Amino acid sequence: MEVIIQPDAESVARVAADVFTDYARRESATLGLATGSTPLAMYLELIRRHRDEGLSFARCRAFLLDEYVGLPRTHEQSYYRFIRDNFTSHIDIPDDDVHSPDGLADDPTAAGLAYDRAIAEAGGVDVQLLGIGTDGHIGFNEPGSSLRSRTRLKTLHPQTIADNARFFGDDESQVPHHVLTQGLGTISDAGHLLLLATGSGKADAVAATVEGPVSALCPASILQFHQHATVIVDEEAGSGLANADYYRYAFENKPAWQHI
Ligand code: F6R
């Protein structure tokens, strides 16, 4: 695992955008997209590069990590709509190539299986962007999630409902209680995991992810098992890392040929 500590959230976004830019320049790439507030600055930077520097996503396709159950794609808080509004409608990725779990499916179990099949048929996700919850969740795999889980229905933890109420007029009763999320096994199948965290509220979760035991209690700790996992944090989110000096040293002394 590579841990990159940046001075602030803007630099986190820039470094993450550099990684995504490298994938977008490939002959074709399958991007795994996350919602939430953390990746927004990276999406803005990619939109700017598309507009000002001609960065094209025309040969990319995308799979979202998760979706609320019960919200149509047109609902302004559905994750499909969120990604469209904040990223994909501002770049040249074909609309039909942006996929999300079907939150309105009559049979969520079948919808989860179908989603995993679609990812596999696309050749797998090349780079999966991840945010992290204050309780260590990735996607919506709350603490206790099976480390090999596949895309399936999950019940949100009350803490996550409270955290996300800000997107629903600060009204927790408006936040759907169920979601379809890529499982930890599904996420682990991606070729490269790129986890971003900013702000002091994420410091404990980041420390548990990087330096704690691999445990279902901190779902993000599965990154420790992945052969290509990158964690990019700002100083605040990295403030709980015991080995911070070594991560800085390793990044500064990275061989020029070795990409992130
Ligand atoms: C979003 C997602 C969640 C968020 C996490 C952090 O698709 O799957 O795991 O990444 O809840 O959210 P923010 O970035 O809003 O703190």
Side-chain angles (χ1 to χ4, degrees), residues 33-39 65-66 79 130-134 137-140 160 164 166-167 181 202:
L33 303 180
T35 57
S37 28
T38 311
L65 265 180
D66 41 18
Y79 279 0
L130 298 166
I132 182 169
T134 51
H137 71 238
I138 51 174
F140 274 132
T160 305
N164 287 5
R166 66 191 193 279
F167 297 115
T181 180
K202 301 293 174 68

Side-chain angles (χ1 to χ4, degrees), residues 133-156:
T134 51
D135 61 2
H137 71 238
I138 51 174
F140 274 132
N141 296 280
E142 298 286 22
S145 291
S146 153
L147 302 184
R148 287 207 170 142
S149 47
R150 312 301 306 179
T151 302
R152 71 217 183 288
L153 182 96
K154 286 294 284 181
T155 303
L156 289 184

Side-chain angles (χ1 to χ4, degrees), residues 40-149:
L40 285 176
M42 184 198 96
Y43 292 144
L44 277 178
E45 173 60 13
L46 289 172
I47 292 166
R48 190 199 64 72
R49 291 180 192 189
H50 169 68
R51 196 187 52 225
D52 300 345
E53 296 167 11
L55 176 66
S56 175
F57 295 85
R59 294 185 310 269
C60 296
R61 61 185 135 205
F63 285 87
L64 273 62
L65 265 180
D66 41 18
E67 183 56 280
Y68 286 117
V69 165
L71 297 191
R73 280 180 147 196
T74 48
H75 189 287
E76 61 174 8
Q77 290 308 331
S78 87
Y79 279 0
Y80 178 81
R81 170 88 182 269
F82 181 99
I83 284 291
R84 248 194 79 70
D85 289 356
N86 290 289
F87 185 39
T88 56
S89 68
H90 304 281
I91 56 173
D92 57 348
I93 189 169
D95 251 353
D96 288 349
D97 284 333
V98 180
H99 305 275
S100 59
D102 181 2
L104 289 185
D106 291 334
D107 183 345
T109 305
L113 292 171
Y115 197 63
D116 275 7
R117 246 187 339 265
I119 293 174
E121 279 161 12
V125 168
D126 292 308
V127 58
Q128 176 63 59
L129 186 67
L130 298 166
I132 182 169
T134 51
D135 61 2
H137 71 238
I138 51 174
F140 274 132
N141 296 280
E142 298 286 22
S145 291
S146 153
L147 302 184
R148 287 207 170 142
S149 47

